[in-house]
Amino acid sequence: ERLEKQRKRQQDLDEQIVEARRSVDEAEERQRLRRELDANDDLIASKQNMLDYKHDRRRRIDSDISGPHLPEMSSSSARKARAPVNPKDAQVMQRIHYGRSVVRHEQLFKIEGLSWLPSCLEQEERECTTCEPFRVVQDDETSTYILVFSPITGSLQHKRYEDVHTDFEMIDEDTTGTLALVRTESHYGTNLDTQFFVQAASGEFKQWGKRSRVAVPAIPWAEGLRCWVGGPDLAAKSKGVFGLPFAELLTSEWVQGDTITFKCVIEELPMAAHPEDEQIRIAQALTENVERPKLVEVPPPTITDDLLAMLIGGWQSDITIEVVHGEEAEPVRFTAHASLLSQRSAVFAAALAHGMRESQTRTITVSDVPPIVLKALLYFLYTDDFEQVDKALREGGLAEVADHRHAQLQALLAAAHKYQVLRLLRWVEAQLCSGLSIEVASSFLALAHTYEAAQLETHCLNFIKAHMAQVCARADFGSLSHACLVKLNMHCAGVDPATGTCNKRKRGVE
């Protein structure tokens, strides 16, 4: 009986093996068909690109932009196309512009878990990692690029990975470096201006290598496709980020939280044609009439200077603002004009309304705004000019010192909030955002929360999240209010503190 069971078991296994072989054969056939479909898709895409190129070439020929039979500049048709010239005005300007079509693009490339990268690349059997392809000139497929990073400054040939980046494979084997910008395979030429930067612990980006401007030549149709490659250390003898070996890079100021961030600034002037098809013409010519000298010279506007002179000189003023800031400080007085203050600030308008004490005494006492800050506020109310605000702050001395400048701006933010001067409030927010750093991130967040500066608050939350370890180590972080900490926790969890709406995408959802 036991022998019979074993025979039956062997028979069942033989049948399962036959069925498994059949399943493997069917899976291999399905895989072969998928590859055949992929090849057909590539062929269709290639033919579609050629068709699009032909359509675009036909359009350019019909518009006399390109083609083998363009009109000569001296022909009668060209003369008729010129703008009419007033016979009384013989001044005609001809301008030729070579940079009108330049497109500028900034691309950030952040690598997290940097210390794990070498071992992960070893598992992937390649020497470098890449970002996703991005496009500089949006309507030009040849203006597609990737950034490539090699921690061991090895080959920049990245292994084909899940059928992506297949248009960036034609790279010279001898090309080695740490970071490189790679242009997609193309026969068309282009003009490129590139700069590379690395983010420091302060959040500022420092330039790595020299700025480079190159003319990428077109490749003859009979030759194979190639990629253009450029980078800050491709030609340098000392490889690595600022010449640092990878081990030293991990402990440098360029790596925070095992993360490094690069920035590539690209300016591109693409070639719309191939030199084997037609003559390349880049310049844009324009003929225009030069404006004749004016018969009467009209002077520039002076209302800003006039209103500021009224404030400074106190001409026909009808209100006094007395600033008492500090227990032992002497009062500082400013003369102003009630009608203008009321028009520019709803708070001043309410204070000077009928029945209020200030409307009778014609004096407004201010104790919570430093004199130099109130002066800057008045300069803005009278001129609506931010240069005048800066001028007033500089007259307070030490404005060029960062700490003193930040203190002035914080006080000005409070004043703009108090007197409901929204345009000035937003300008101060922008100034503080540009000076955001690890040292001031906590204090700026508290300030933004107190004075409802939503945009400054968002920038502070983003900055603190990106530099959490450094900011949390500072003493001023511990003094943040409960409300600020709640907002920070919500932001880190992907929830908008203002609306309570989740900003994070679900996993697997693009």
Side-chain angles (χ1 to χ4, degrees), residues 2 10 28 72 103 118 192 195 207 209 259 272 313 460:
R2 182 178 177 184
Q10 290 178 5
E28 290 177 350
E72 297 293 335
V103 177
L192 286 174
Q195 300 176 79
Q207 185 169 343
T259 299
C460 289

Side-chain angles (χ1 to χ4, degrees), residues 188-455:
Y188 288 86
T190 190
N191 294 288
L192 286 174
D193 186 292
T194 56
Q195 300 176 79
F196 297 88
F197 300 84
V198 188
Q199 190 174 35
S202 64
E204 299 293 326
F205 282 91
K206 181 178 178 181
Q207 185 169 343
W208 173 22
K210 295 182 179 179
R211 182 173 185 171
S212 173
R213 180 170 294 182
V214 296
V216 181
I219 300 174
W221 292 115
E223 297 183 10
L225 291 169
R226 291 194 299 273
C227 293
W228 174 87
V229 183
D233 67 342
L234 299 188
K237 295 181 180 179
S238 178
K239 305 288 186 179
V241 178
F242 295 109
L244 294 175
F246 186 70
E248 295 183 17
L249 175 64
L250 293 177
T251 58
S252 70
E253 63 172 312
W254 313 111
V255 178
Q256 302 297 321
D258 207 18
T259 299
I260 190 169
T261 303
F262 300 104
K263 180 171 72 172
C264 181
V265 179
I266 309 165
E267 294 184 7
E268 182 172 11
L269 179 59
M271 300 297 96
H274 195 281
E276 292 183 1
D277 294 335
E278 59 187 83
Q279 181 182 0
I280 301 296
R281 291 190 177 183
I282 303 174
Q284 298 183 14
L286 178 65
T287 301
E288 60 182 353
N289 294 333
V290 178
E291 184 180 0
R292 289 183 297 175
K294 297 177 180 179
L295 298 177
V296 177
E297 187 67 29
V298 179
T302 62
I303 187 169
T304 297
D305 295 337
D306 294 342
L307 290 176
L308 189 60
M310 287 178 60
L311 172 66
I312 296 174
W315 301 338
Q316 299 183 354
S317 61
D318 57 356
I319 192 78
T320 299
I321 302 176
E322 186 175 84
V323 183
V324 182
H325 190 262
E327 297 180 356
E328 300 180 359
E330 291 292 330
V332 178
R333 295 178 178 83
F334 298 93
T335 57
H337 304 81
S339 59
L340 192 147
L341 296 182
S342 299
Q343 181 65 32
R344 297 282 284 155
S345 166
V347 175
F348 277 125
L352 296 171
H354 294 295
M356 300 297 289
R357 178 176 59 86
E358 289 84 354
S359 66
Q360 298 177 0
T361 63
R362 312 306 290 175
T363 299
I364 299 175
T365 302
V366 178
S367 60
D368 55 354
V369 180
I372 193 64
V373 173
L374 185 66
K375 181 180 180 179
L377 173 68
L378 291 174
Y379 272 34
F380 179 77
L381 293 179
Y382 273 74
T383 67
D384 206 47
D385 187 350
F386 297 127
E387 290 185 2
Q388 296 298 333
V389 175
D390 265 332
K391 176 183 176 182
L393 294 178
R394 286 195 301 270
E395 290 175 355
L398 299 179
E400 65 277 2
V401 179
D403 292 343
H404 192 77
R405 170 74 172 178
H406 289 162
Q408 288 183 333
L409 290 173
Q410 292 180 59
L412 186 57
L413 182 74
H417 178 268
K418 174 183 177 179
Y419 293 103
Q420 299 181 17
V421 187
L422 181 60
R423 178 168 148 81
L424 180 61
L425 180 73
R426 294 289 178 258
W427 178 80
V428 178
E429 276 190 84
Q431 299 299 304
L432 292 173
C433 285
S434 65
L436 196 57
S437 66
I438 292 172
E439 291 72 21
V440 298
S442 297
S443 61
F444 280 14
L445 177 59
L447 185 77
H449 173 72
T450 301
Y451 296 112
E452 302 173 330
Q455 297 177 55

Side-chain angles (χ1 to χ4, degrees), residues 477-488:
F477 180 81
S479 62
L480 283 175
S481 67
H482 176 72
C484 288
L485 293 175
V486 169
K487 287 185 176 182
L488 179 59

Side-chain angles (χ1 to χ4, degrees), residues 115-136:
S115 61
W116 292 93
L117 182 59
S119 58
C120 291
L121 291 177
E122 183 177 349
Q123 295 286 359
E124 296 176 353
E125 298 180 354
R126 56 180 185 160
E127 297 184 10
C128 56
T129 185
T130 66
C131 73
E132 290 300 311
F134 59 91
R135 189 171 292 184
V136 175

